[in-house]
Amino acid sequence: MSTPDPEGVLAEQLLRLTRRVHRIQKRHLEWRDLGVTPAQSRLLRTLAHYDSPPRMADLAQRLEVVPRAVTTLVDGLEAHGKVRRVPDPSNRRVTRIELTDEGRATLSELHGARRSAAEEILAPLTEKERQVLGVLLDTLVDGDTPMR
């Protein structure tokens, strides 16, 4: 008879939760009919954090993907008028990516979709449980390991 593996159970729970979060967020995106994939929405959210239009290489690094993946995402977003390529003012060989007005409007809708997805996911929890979960998630995201 084997002994239970609590870390294995936790790992499986985290993986199941991650899949559920992705499924629910995808559904909320589809309901809003924004014509944006989850990967494209991530690129839009990332673009919004820059003070000035980044290079594609900057986006690839921030998203932790290969540059070719960013090119594909930008191509799709540009075709739908959500981003545009602009020349770098100091180096004409460099292209930068900026949000369009439509991209900003889509980003606003994306935030709404994410909020409604989070509400659905967190619905079973009390306010106190949500606060505790927030502290636990911050600890996991930051990677802080308590001294034992």
Side-chain angles (χ1 to χ4, degrees):
M1 187 174 197
S2 65
T3 59
D5 176 12
E7 283 77 20
V9 171
L10 282 174
E12 183 59 31
Q13 287 173 312
L14 285 171
L15 290 172
R16 286 182 20 231
L17 177 60
T18 300
R19 285 192 298 265
R20 182 168 186 252
V21 167
H22 286 210
R23 253 191 339 270
I24 290 171
Q25 284 185 339
K26 185 177 179 186
R27 187 177 68 228
H28 282 262
L29 282 175
E30 290 168 353
W31 285 346
R32 290 176 185 248
D33 196 27
L34 299 174
V36 173
T37 67
Q40 289 172 332
S41 73
R42 185 171 174 235
L43 187 135
L44 288 173
R45 289 191 319 271
T46 301
L47 262 176
H49 291 291
Y50 283 92
D51 293 330
S52 61
R55 299 172 308 140
M56 286 218 246
D58 300 327
L59 289 168
Q61 184 176 17
R62 173 92 48 102
L63 294 168
E64 298 179 345
V65 298
V66 297
R68 178 67 189 124
V70 171
T71 300
T72 301
L73 293 172
V74 168
D75 287 347
L77 289 167
E78 187 176 40
H80 289 95
K82 297 179 188 327
V83 301
R84 72 176 142 254
R85 288 172 166 92
V86 294
D88 183 296
S90 62
N91 184 344
R92 64 185 182 155
R93 292 174 296 172
V94 174
T95 300
R96 296 188 175 271
I97 308 303
E98 71 179 7
L99 284 169
T100 62
D101 289 341
E102 182 161 340
R104 281 186 271 288
T106 299
L107 194 55
S108 179
E109 285 290 320
L110 288 169
H111 288 305
R114 291 184 71 174
R115 277 192 302 279
S116 60
E119 288 171 15
E120 180 180 335
I121 291 163
L122 298 172
L125 301 179
T126 66
E127 186 58 36
K128 179 66 178 167
E129 289 169 330
R130 289 176 187 209
Q131 290 172 359
V132 169
L133 178 62
V135 169
L136 294 171
L137 290 173
D138 281 343
T139 300
L140 293 174
V141 168
D142 295 340
D144 294 340
T145 54
M147 301 304 263
R148 296 183 191 210

